[in-house]
Amino acid sequence: MKKIVLILDSLTKMFPANGKIHGGANRIGRYLIEYFSAIPDIKLDIICGTSGNESMKRINKIYSLGFCPFSDMNKFFEKAQEIIHQNNYDIILTSDLFPPFGNIIVHSHTLMYKNQNCKNILESFIQRFLRRKKTEQFKRLFANKERKIFTVSKKLAKDYIENLKFNPENVICVYPGTDQKEKPKYIRQTPITFGIVAGNAINKGGYLFLGAVFLLKLAQKNFKAKMIVTKSKKGSTIESFLNFLRLQDKVEILPEQEGMTEFYKKIDCLVLPSLNEAFGLVLTEAASMGKPTLVSSTAGSSEIITNNENGFIFERSKCFFRTLYNLFKKMEQIINTPQENFEKISNNAYILSQKYTWDNFFEKIAKELKLNT
């Protein structure tokens, strides 16, 4: 019997009353609990910021600290470490948090990477200056280089190795999975329809996407687009931008979805034009529905795509206008793809999704942590 403790943000977010999980991090956290709690030889404890339940099936103990870890990281980690000292855990594992102890599943880039990857040299300099204190704190949290770091892409692994000087042997790339579905029947929309999930319109490429749509409209291409935008100030801003470009006849703005299945059914190609995207779970989700993705070259999920075979890749440059042109030309290519060829790409996207399961994701982590022995 091995004792494991998972240190997570919020069980309330991972097991919401309405069943609607927001964000890939919360989804990974939930699957993490479900996977390890199902193993008979594991005694599982959870330390979290908030929890809607005092106990859960197959969980030995839940320690809810009563506050969001992001509100006071130092206090959260101090209390977590007190609990750890009281127990003799074999494995400490964290997801989406950056404690100075234990093994970590990371699915976001370092501050150093984000500062360097700004749109221009001036912005990069300003961000490095403004975030210098946060950057130093970030480095201190990763002072212990002996633990294992699980990254969701090779790009992310390279980031932690180069910017935090981790030993490459301790940084393991594990691509996330998706829920397995039966092969869907191929149905092409008329006209061809693009989809995008743009919660953070700047980082997720929402404005870039609308710029490319504007160019496609000028080129008199026949297409439609559906855009999921969080209803907030950001949402109203992007709607204003859409109205300014007079794209109401081309783009339908949708609120956050209760479930993404119907959204994927109504599009032909998902677009993931993110600036800083460690992976992008929407790619494998869409692929499981037989929908290929047009993905930015900077996104980690581009590593599992074979361009023009099971998806599409466009080059993202630090020059906004070059990136805009690249996205426009790739979307134009997709519109002009013959239906027979596009159906093959859609079928290959589904085949791709079958290679990446949540069981495979966590089995690899369990193997690296020697839980299989």
Side-chain angles (χ1 to χ4, degrees):
M1 179 71 69
K2 290 194 174 182
K3 293 177 64 177
I4 297 180
V5 61
L6 300 180
I7 307 173
L8 305 168
D9 172 17
S10 169
L11 290 186
T12 306
K13 295 177 183 177
M14 295 168 192
F15 295 87
N18 61 3
K20 186 178 178 182
I21 305 175
H22 293 277
N26 290 321
R27 198 167 307 160
I28 288 176
R30 174 162 180 162
Y31 285 128
L32 188 66
I33 293 169
E34 292 177 346
Y35 178 83
F36 285 115
S37 65
I39 301 175
D41 293 335
I42 285 179
K43 187 177 181 180
L44 182 64
D45 286 1
I46 295 173
I47 300 174
C48 61
T50 57
S51 173
N53 302 305
E54 293 183 0
S55 63
M56 290 174 59
K57 188 178 180 181
R58 298 197 300 267
I59 306 298
N60 178 58
K61 181 76 174 178
I62 297 175
Y63 297 93
S64 177
L65 304 186
F67 62 95
C68 173
F70 298 105
S71 65
D72 192 337
M73 281 284 191
N74 291 332
K75 181 181 177 182
F76 181 85
F77 295 146
E78 286 173 6
K79 288 187 172 293
Q81 202 151 30
E82 288 175 7
I83 295 169
I84 290 168
H85 285 160
Q86 295 168 8
N87 297 273
N88 187 25
Y89 292 116
D90 297 294
I91 300 292
I92 301 168
L93 183 60
T94 309
S95 179
D96 198 39
L97 295 175
F98 307 110
F101 50 82
N103 307 288
I104 310 175
I105 302 173
V106 294
H107 22 92
S108 62
H109 281 287
T110 65
L111 280 175
M112 290 73 80
Y113 176 92
K114 292 177 181 178
N115 293 345
Q116 295 161 5
N117 202 36
C118 292
K119 286 177 284 189
N120 55 61
I121 295 174
L122 178 61
E123 183 182 353
S124 176
F125 174 79
I126 292 171
Q127 290 290 8
R128 291 184 202 191
F129 176 77
L130 293 177
R131 294 175 176 173
R132 63 192 186 282
K133 290 184 179 179
K134 285 187 177 181
T135 301
E136 289 306 313
Q137 181 187 25
F138 193 87
K139 288 180 178 179
R140 285 196 297 272
L141 292 174
F142 285 92
N144 177 6
K145 310 294 184 185
E146 299 307 313
R147 53 196 170 150
K148 291 188 182 295
I149 303 290
F150 298 97
T151 68
V152 295
S153 64
K154 291 178 181 177
K155 286 181 174 63
L156 195 57
K158 182 180 178 182
D159 174 11
Y160 279 79
I161 290 168
E162 292 185 351
N163 286 308
L164 291 173
K165 311 305 178 187
F166 265 91
N167 182 344
E169 293 182 0
N170 291 339
V171 182
I172 302 102
C173 172
V174 190
Y175 292 117
T178 185
D179 295 322
Q180 300 301 288
K181 296 181 176 67
E182 291 186 9
K183 185 179 178 180
K185 181 180 179 181
Y186 174 76
I187 300 176
R188 181 156 178 172
Q189 308 298 314
T190 305
I192 189 170
T193 303
F194 296 97
I196 180 174
V197 183
N200 182 326
I202 295 176
N203 189 51
K204 295 296 183 181
Y207 296 108
L208 179 70
F209 177 77
L210 289 181
V213 167
F214 177 71
L215 294 179
L216 288 170
K217 183 177 180 179
L218 287 181
Q220 298 184 338
K221 295 297 177 180
N222 188 25
F223 71 98
K224 290 286 185 181
K226 294 182 183 295
M227 191 173 195
I228 296 177
V229 179
T230 305
K231 288 299 180 182
S232 63
K233 291 182 179 179
K234 289 188 180 71
S236 60
T237 302
I238 204 165
E239 286 178 336
S240 298
F241 188 62
L242 180 144
N243 293 335
F244 173 75
L245 296 177
R246 297 182 179 179
L247 296 175
Q248 301 94 325
D249 61 326
K250 291 294 183 182
V251 182
E252 179 184 3
I253 296 290
L254 302 172
E256 287 184 281
Q257 305 292 289
E258 288 295 330
M260 293 292 288
T261 299
E262 290 304 312
F263 173 73
Y264 293 134
K265 283 181 179 179
K266 293 176 182 178
I267 66 171
D268 296 291
C269 180
L270 182 73
V271 183
L272 187 64
S274 306
L275 175 63
N276 296 312
E277 189 75 66
F279 184 78
L281 286 177
V282 288
L283 182 145
T284 47
E285 285 182 356
S288 71
M289 297 288 295
K291 308 296 181 176
T293 298
L294 169 57
V295 61
S296 160
S297 59
T298 58
S301 51
S302 65
E303 296 168 9
I304 67 172
I305 291 293
T306 302
N307 195 24
N308 301 325
E309 289 189 19
N310 54 19
F312 309 92
I313 302 172
F314 76 96
E315 288 297 318
R316 180 139 198 174
S317 165
K318 282 197 173 184
C319 173
F320 175 82
F321 296 105
R322 169 59 61 182
T323 300
L324 175 62
Y325 178 77
N326 291 343
L327 177 58
F328 156 67
K329 292 302 291 183
K330 203 66 181 181
M331 291 176 73
E332 184 180 48
Q333 174 199 322
I334 293 169
I335 292 170
N336 294 334
T337 300
Q339 181 166 333
E340 182 180 350
N341 293 354
F342 195 87
E343 184 173 356
K344 289 179 181 178
I345 295 171
S346 298
N347 181 60
N348 290 338
Y350 175 77
I351 293 171
L352 173 72
S353 74
Q354 303 307 291
K355 297 179 181 178
Y356 299 96
T357 68
W358 286 117
D359 279 347
N360 290 342
F361 179 75
F362 292 116
E363 280 171 8
K364 186 170 182 180
I365 292 173
K367 182 179 179 180
E368 291 291 340
L369 295 176
K370 303 189 185 307
L371 292 173
N372 299 337
T373 57

